[in-house]
Amino acid sequence: MQKRVLSAVILAGLAMPALARADDQKWLTPTMVNARAAMMTPELSVLTFQHMDSIFATRPVRAGDSVWAVPSEPRAIGEKFTLGEQSLSLDDFLEKTATNGLLVIHDGKIVNEIYRNGLDEKGHHISFSMAKSMLATMIGIAVSEGKIKSLDDRVVDYLPDWKSSAYADVSIRDLLMMRSGVAWLEVYEFGSDTQLTEVHNNSLVAYKYRWCDYAKDRAKTEHKPGEVFNYSTLDTSVLGCVLEKATGMKGADYLSEKIWKPAGMESDAFYMLDGPDTVGREFFGAGMNAALRDYGRFGLMMLDDGKANGRQVIPADWVKQSTVPDATTEPASKDDWLGYAYQWWTVPGSDAYAAIGLFNQFIYIDPPSRTVIVKLDSPADPLGFEKENIAFFEQIVKNLAN
């Protein structure tokens, strides 16, 4: 009943974008709106997470003609793994955690590659908040190019019409570290009346406004910038809008030209947009979709200090700056068990760090062992299995060392 009420509320507001151009209308039918509203339904997510371009307007991230060939050297990664109090085989662990794809790269070679539940080498899978880490790498490149002069620059320095917004005096560094001080409650209770759900429903589902519209026009200040960690997809959305203004390019095009092509990614990727084609912006906080191996290449590039296939793509100093914690960032807060650097999570007690997305999407990077692990899942609940998956990765690293 709750899902039906949610859909009715969304459909009631569809008059708002009625002036959209005719070629946008295909995304605004009640059928498409309801499809986006249902994208996380447990029985359907295994399909929707692999086909987001069927129900969302998207913008392509083009790959180039030259592909970074990562050699394959299959090895066993372990026979038994722990999930809670259970000892499971690899297949059973993957089934219990609703895994669609697993990729393990060790010493620059693919040692394990598993596709499940319809995903294959050419398939695209949503990354959710892994996209935040990818955006951080683009910020680093923009800084190296001088398009962003300093991380201490304020949002209003790039978006002058935001001078009356809660984000006006927030710095780029504050956004990277999730310390904007802007009131935001990142609660994943879709179908409720929480703040995140309101923006999700109106922006990503009904296409009535953009994430940055909400940030500019409705966000409120709660704390002084730089003081309090508060995980916020809204902060990342603003960071993406700053990047676009600083570079004069769409986020998808910048990612293509600065990373996807020079790194030699194998396949085109795409961003989901937060509106129809003509007005939608990249959903920087969670809308990146790519192939399993290309997520692996991204992780391998980070592992190699920003080099992809011998070519420096991301500045090496940025890789370190954005992924190495200090005493103030690990753990991220008293309520978190992981640390948080520049849109990358860090693992206490180790040098490992990870891009982590909702519904258990991971790019896990362990520099000492030179291991990269990508895991793409579609469990019933948006949160859960984070600690178990990190332990799973740590066990793989240990097994490969033996």
Side-chain angles (χ1 to χ4, degrees), residues 301-323:
M301 177 174 57
M302 293 295 292
L303 178 69
D304 288 340
D305 296 323
K307 284 186 178 180
N309 203 22
R311 178 177 182 176
Q312 196 73 47
V313 176
I314 304 167
D317 59 347
W318 181 263
V319 173
K320 181 177 181 179
Q321 185 179 2
S322 59
T323 62

Side-chain angles (χ1 to χ4, degrees), residues 132-151 172-173 176 239 242-243 246-247 254-255 258-259 298 302 306 312-323 342-344:
K132 293 178 169 70
S133 305
M134 295 185 179
L135 174 60
T137 62
M138 290 190 274
I139 294 293
I141 293 172
V143 170
S144 72
E145 293 178 328
K147 293 178 179 177
I148 292 176
K149 296 180 178 63
S150 169
L151 295 187
I172 293 173
R173 192 186 312 276
L176 284 165
L239 190 62
V242 168
L243 176 76
T247 62
Y254 195 72
L255 180 57
K258 301 301 179 179
I259 296 179
F298 197 97
M302 293 295 292
Q312 196 73 47
V313 176
I314 304 167
D317 59 347
W318 181 263
V319 173
K320 181 177 181 179
Q321 185 179 2
S322 59
T323 62
Y342 289 175
Q343 306 274 301
W344 287 89

